[in-house]
Amino acid sequence: MPSLNNAQRYKVLVPEKLSPDGLALLRGTLEVHERSGLNADELLRIIPGYDALLVRSETKVTATLLRAAKKLKVVARAGVGVDNVDVDTATKLGIVVVNSPSGNVQAAAEHTIALLLSMARNVPEACSSIKGGKWERSRLVGVEVKGKTLAIIGLGKVGLTVARLAKGLGMNVTALDPYASPAVAASASVTLVSSLTELLPTADFLTIHTPLLASTKGMISTSELAQLKAGSRILNVARGGTIDEAALLTALESGHLAGAAVDVFTSEPPAPDSTAAKLIAHPRVVATPHLGASTVEAQENVSIDVCEQVLQILEGALPRSAVNAPLVLPEEYKKLQPFVHLVEKMGSLHIQHYTSTITGPMYRSTYDLIYQGEVASISNTRPLFAALIKGLMTPISGSAGVNINIVNAELIARERGIVVNEQHSRDPSTHPYSSLVSLVARSPSRASSCVGEDVTKAVPSPRQQRHHIISGTCSGSQPLINRLDRFQTSFVPEGTLLICENYDSPGKIGVVGSILGRENVNINFMAVAPVSKELPIEVNAGILDARSINSGGAVPGQDNGEIGSAKEALMILGVDRPVEERVANALVQEGGVLSASVVTL
């Protein structure tokens, strides 16, 4: 992807109020449109023109909206939860969804403690009473929190911060979280339990800090509230819907619970006469309008965080906090980035060069990616996997308009029946490069293993049935191809390339140049690739046998004619314009070329 400074300015839509500090980061290189107050129809109408969408919690990013957003590359949620975004649909469309899981942690934790103390000491009711001219000290006696037990469901970043603040108040803290680290819990003096049945009866105060998922929706309902001791209190500063609002209202009205503090609701703002509205009006409920992240500092933090990620994604880098992509550490991605570009080019080169005469489906569905040298030391190679799938699919007309990236590469590979085997070898003795990546395309054993709908209508020729090998390396950030099957070469995989397979005989270059000149095709560069008998590659047993590799990928026992003979060579020509099919045919018929393929990279 070109630098943002040189590329067409991307357009970013911001339909909700965000801190100006983050948006200022975008305005230097992006076109930012702040459009608060859009309704769903208006948003749907204008979204096709935008490359990025920045939202908070009010905007509903639905499947319909995402499908209409033909240019959209990233949805950024300025906050923690993403339940207002259809993440599954975004993943299928290759749209990165990012959030800011750390920007409002302190704000949410502090608000939890503020509500806990307000509820314990009747602060809201006392404030209302004294402003009404009353002095009701005896009626508004509260309870101390020191020595009480705070039970926490969800010991993530917010839950752990709440636990530490509660310990500072002298509270005992227990928690339920199957994914929590026992060591981290112990360092915060938190007692981990294994079930709600074990947690709830101990609680004087219960607080929830989990995302809203199918498994957490309504997780605290009638039966769970009944397990709480009489006179206990409950808080929700996480997500509306984790607590059954009707069950909570019943427990308050019965007197089983002494109080509740609620910052989030199933519908925001709650509809008049709804259960949530009745909860807000209840005298033993302290309610706030979703203020958990509403501090100046938190809004600045999350705005800067997500805006930085939007910039990174539009520049082609990986996000720090994608909810629908695997985490790749920045130091790993920095090492991988040149090879991401290389592997994508290798995949595209394979499809265009080796399957250029196929008009039907892509025949090979199994590929081996072999990493050698320094690049093999990087364990997380998901960006390289994604780059290969993108390279393989982009030249195919059926993938037009599909944004293939690390978000949806695995899903697309599974849908298309593409299998990629990755191998790592740190042994530098087999090649002269500090890092080497090889792509081995394996022929299916029979036609039924081909990918595509019309596999019975075309059968690959003997040349197409060979195993094919492309190897490459990077010189700094510059990708280089140094092997095409048995041919040793060195060229940059960029622009329009004409690859001619021919017998290495005097005058061949002149003939090819003459035919291209006749068609006003200018040659920018030329590389001649002879057959080499010393092109090693490591392949695990059972994938390719040694004879296949040493014979340039020819299928053992197959009649390959002169293919692979020592007299064969490749000409790789960089040309200034696309070469028409009739010109390629003329090279074969008039120029004595065995085959000619045109590749655009």
Side-chain angles (χ1 to χ4, degrees):
M1 181 174 292
S3 167
L4 291 177
N5 292 327
N6 300 322
Q8 179 181 359
R9 284 168 69 89
Y10 290 111
K11 294 173 67 177
V12 181
L13 178 62
V14 188
E16 299 182 58
K17 185 174 176 59
L18 260 69
S19 168
D21 295 339
L23 297 180
L25 297 174
L26 303 180
R27 296 189 192 280
T29 51
L30 307 179
E31 189 175 332
V32 179
H33 295 174
E34 294 184 79
R35 298 285 301 274
S36 298
L38 293 172
N39 62 38
D41 290 338
E42 291 170 332
L43 183 59
L44 186 64
R45 179 175 54 82
I46 68 173
I47 196 64
Y50 289 93
D51 302 279
L53 175 64
L54 274 70
V55 301
R56 293 179 63 188
S57 58
E58 293 181 8
T59 303
K60 305 303 179 186
V61 186
T62 64
T64 301
L65 183 69
L66 290 168
R67 292 191 186 101
K70 301 300 183 183
K71 296 172 60 179
L72 200 62
K73 299 171 182 63
V74 54
V75 174
R77 161 72 166 95
V80 179
V82 290
D83 42 287
N84 58 320
V85 180
D86 190 325
V87 177
D88 289 341
T89 299
T91 300
K92 292 175 183 177
L93 297 174
I95 299 169
V96 183
V97 179
V98 301
N99 65 349
S100 180
S102 301
N104 58 15
V105 167
Q106 188 67 27
E110 288 184 3
H111 195 63
T112 302
I113 296 299
L115 290 180
L116 184 148
L117 290 172
S118 295
M119 181 170 48
R121 298 304 298 270
N122 300 311
V123 172
E125 190 176 359
C127 179
S128 177
S129 172
I130 195 170
K131 285 185 176 183
K134 300 177 183 179
W135 191 266
E136 301 180 294
R137 293 181 63 193
S138 59
R139 187 178 72 84
L140 297 170
V141 174
V143 296
E144 294 183 6
V145 299
K146 181 179 180 180
K148 302 297 192 302
T149 296
L150 174 64
I152 301 175
I153 301 176
L155 200 64
K157 293 179 180 179
V158 175
L160 191 62
T161 305
V162 168
R164 288 172 172 151
L165 293 174
K167 292 298 293 186
L169 293 171
M171 301 186 77
N172 303 312
V173 181
T174 59
L176 171 64
D177 188 332
Y179 306 106
S181 164
V184 171
S187 69
S189 301
V190 175
T191 303
L192 283 176
V193 298
S194 59
S195 67
L196 283 174
T197 303
E198 187 178 356
L199 179 77
L200 297 176
T202 68
D204 296 297
F205 295 85
L206 173 68
T207 183
I208 300 175
H209 298 286
T210 67
L212 182 63
L213 307 170
S215 58
T216 61
K217 187 174 182 180
M219 67 185 300
I220 301 299
S221 190
T222 303
S223 62
E224 288 77 21
L225 292 171
Q227 296 177 53
L228 290 169
K229 66 174 78 171
S232 58
R233 294 168 172 83
I234 190 168
L235 302 100
N236 189 5
V237 190
R239 281 285 169 255
T242 54
I243 299 176
D244 183 326
E245 291 173 340
L248 177 58
L249 182 61
T250 298
L252 288 165
E253 290 177 338
S254 70
H256 179 65
L257 293 182
V262 186
D263 184 51
V264 289
F265 303 89
T266 52
S267 178
E268 297 179 355
D273 298 324
S274 65
T275 302
K278 293 176 182 177
L279 267 178
I280 293 169
H282 197 280
R284 286 198 296 277
V285 171
V286 178
T288 51
H290 204 147
L291 298 181
S294 295
T295 65
V296 172
E297 295 85 354
Q299 294 306 304
E300 290 176 351
N301 291 340
V302 298
S303 178
I304 291 171
D305 187 12
V306 296
C307 288
E308 285 177 345
Q309 292 189 75
V310 166
L311 276 175
Q312 291 167 353
I313 293 165
L314 294 181
E315 287 175 339
L318 292 181
R320 293 190 302 269
S321 303
V323 300
N324 60 344
L327 175 64
V328 180
L329 297 176
E331 57 269 22
E332 288 185 327
Y333 189 70
K334 184 177 180 180
K335 295 177 183 177
L336 283 175
Q337 199 161 23
F339 293 94
V340 168
H341 190 52
L342 169 67
V343 171
E344 181 181 339
K345 298 293 185 182
M346 290 167 66
S348 183
L349 174 60
H350 162 71
I351 290 298
Q352 296 183 68
H353 176 49
Y354 289 117
T355 64
S356 61
T357 60
I358 299 176
T359 58
M362 182 174 63
Y363 282 101
R364 291 170 178 80
S365 59
T366 301
Y367 297 87
D368 302 312
L369 265 180
I370 302 168
Y371 313 119
Q372 297 174 274
E374 293 177 3
V375 70
S377 65
I378 302 174
S379 58
N380 191 345
T381 53
R382 287 291 295 276
L384 299 183
F385 171 91
L388 175 61
I389 301 303
K390 182 177 182 180
L392 292 173
M393 296 301 302
T394 299
I396 300 172
S397 59
S399 64
V402 179
N403 184 26
I404 303 172
N405 54 28
I406 195 171
V407 170
N408 62 350
E410 188 172 349
L411 177 63
I412 289 175
R414 188 164 57 248
E415 289 178 344
R416 301 300 179 101
I418 300 172
V419 177
V420 179
N421 303 305
E422 294 183 283
Q423 302 175 46
H424 297 252
S425 172
R426 301 184 188 182
D427 183 4
S429 63
T430 56
H431 58 84
Y433 306 100
S434 59
S435 290
L436 185 71
V437 179
S438 296
L439 172 64
V440 181
R442 295 194 274 135
S443 301
S445 58
R446 51 189 178 276
S448 62
S449 63
C450 301
V451 178
E453 296 179 358
D454 300 320
V455 294
T456 60
K457 294 184 179 180
V459 178
S461 68
R463 178 182 293 274
Q464 294 161 354
Q465 285 181 333
R466 302 163 64 202
H467 293 301
H468 291 298
I469 303 169
I470 300 175
S471 295
T473 189
C474 291
S475 176
S477 61
Q478 181 67 66
L480 294 171
I481 300 297
N482 52 37
R483 176 179 182 177
L484 291 174
D485 281 350
R486 291 184 66 228
F487 300 101
Q488 186 173 7
T489 183
S490 180
F491 67 91
V492 177
E494 297 285 353
T496 301
L497 305 178
L498 176 63
I499 303 177
C500 299
E501 194 168 353
N502 59 276
Y503 292 123
D504 191 8
S505 58
K508 192 71 65 178
I509 294 174
V511 173
V512 171
S514 176
I515 293 173
L516 293 178
R518 186 178 68 199
E519 300 292 336
N520 294 318
V521 177
N522 188 51
I523 300 174
N524 296 327
F525 75 86
M526 182 181 69
V528 177
V531 170
S532 174
K533 296 181 180 179
E534 298 179 357
L535 283 171
I537 187 171
E538 293 182 4
V539 182
N540 286 343
I543 294 181
L544 292 177
D545 62 32
R547 288 182 298 161
S548 297
I549 295 300
N550 294 333
S551 63
V555 175
Q558 180 176 291
D559 181 11
N560 295 293
E562 293 293 331
I563 296 171
S565 72
K567 295 181 180 180
E568 196 178 1
L570 289 182
M571 281 188 286
I572 298 98
L573 308 171
V575 294
D576 65 346
R577 67 189 64 187
V579 177
E580 297 178 8
E581 185 177 357
R582 62 178 181 81
V583 179
N585 291 337
L587 291 171
V588 175
Q589 295 168 3
E590 301 174 31
V593 172
L594 293 173
S595 66
S597 65
V598 182
V599 174
T600 302
L601 300 171

